[in-house]
Amino acid sequence: MSEEKMTPADLPSGRSPALDRLDVLVGEWETAAVFDAGFFGPGSPEVVGHGRTTFAWLKGRRVLAQTFTNDHPDAPDGICAIGLSDQPEVFVQHYHDSRGETRDYLMTLDNGELRFWRADPAFAQRYRGTVTADGKTIEGAWEVSEDGHTWRHDFKLIYTRAG
């Protein structure tokens, strides 16, 4: 029996061209997470944590693997898998980190804007970053909401292409 006849009917037959939008992320990035003065308590100084993120396609170019490390001992390292969601033109990022946190974010990358969000009613999060025209920097910030309505700045996250 041929392999084609054994493929389940619900699997897509072709690779979506929407995945090509993620190509701008592929490669090595240096990261800087900037926490405002007072973030870690009254009187605490601004803290900048550095790290490294790598994006690479898995075989078949349908899933983009993301790995990240951080130099600050309290910041997690982790791995993510990014692919198409069940919504047209929207991606999903499955996030797992060294603290044991597992989260799913929806994601878009359109017209130089990278967005992640999750609508957990107890701890909603969103990131909005701008990709420079040359594709060498993504600068943005995370926001959080404990009620899903009132948002506050969490921290800046800046990606700079390595090399």
Side-chain angles (χ1 to χ4, degrees):
M1 182 177 270
S2 77
E3 186 176 316
E4 183 177 309
K5 290 181 181 180
M6 295 175 60
T7 303
D10 62 341
L11 289 178
S13 60
R15 182 181 176 277
S16 171
L19 290 164
D20 292 339
R21 280 190 247 143
L22 301 178
D23 284 339
V24 70
L25 299 175
V26 172
E28 299 277 333
W29 299 82
E30 295 174 6
T31 57
V34 182
F35 298 91
D36 293 340
F39 183 90
F40 294 104
S44 65
E46 177 182 272
V47 173
V48 180
H50 296 278
R52 194 153 187 98
T53 297
T54 302
F55 292 93
W57 286 110
L58 296 183
K59 187 177 182 179
R61 292 178 37 91
R62 292 175 192 244
V63 175
L64 187 65
Q66 175 188 3
T67 57
F68 59 92
T69 59
N70 291 289
D71 66 358
H72 194 283
D74 294 330
D77 298 338
I79 187 166
C80 305
I82 301 168
L84 287 173
S85 75
D86 58 359
Q87 300 176 39
E89 308 299 312
V90 176
F91 305 101
V92 63
Q93 179 198 59
H94 302 290
Y95 170 100
H96 306 275
D97 74 25
S98 56
R99 302 170 298 183
E101 291 291 331
T102 299
R103 299 175 179 156
D104 286 335
Y105 295 90
L106 293 177
M107 172 187 161
T108 56
L109 181 54
D110 292 306
N111 300 314
E113 183 178 70
L114 174 62
R115 293 181 57 225
F116 293 93
W117 68 95
R118 69 186 202 111
D120 183 315
F123 187 62
Q125 295 173 286
R126 64 186 182 192
Y127 174 84
R128 183 175 300 219
T130 302
V131 181
T132 57
D134 62 6
K136 293 183 179 180
T137 306
I138 304 168
E139 187 166 342
W142 280 96
E143 295 179 312
V144 296
S145 174
E146 285 82 16
D147 63 9
H149 301 290
T150 306
W151 291 89
R152 65 177 169 79
H153 172 79
D154 198 15
F155 62 95
K156 289 181 191 174
L157 181 59
I158 302 158
Y159 296 83
T160 305
R161 193 167 293 280

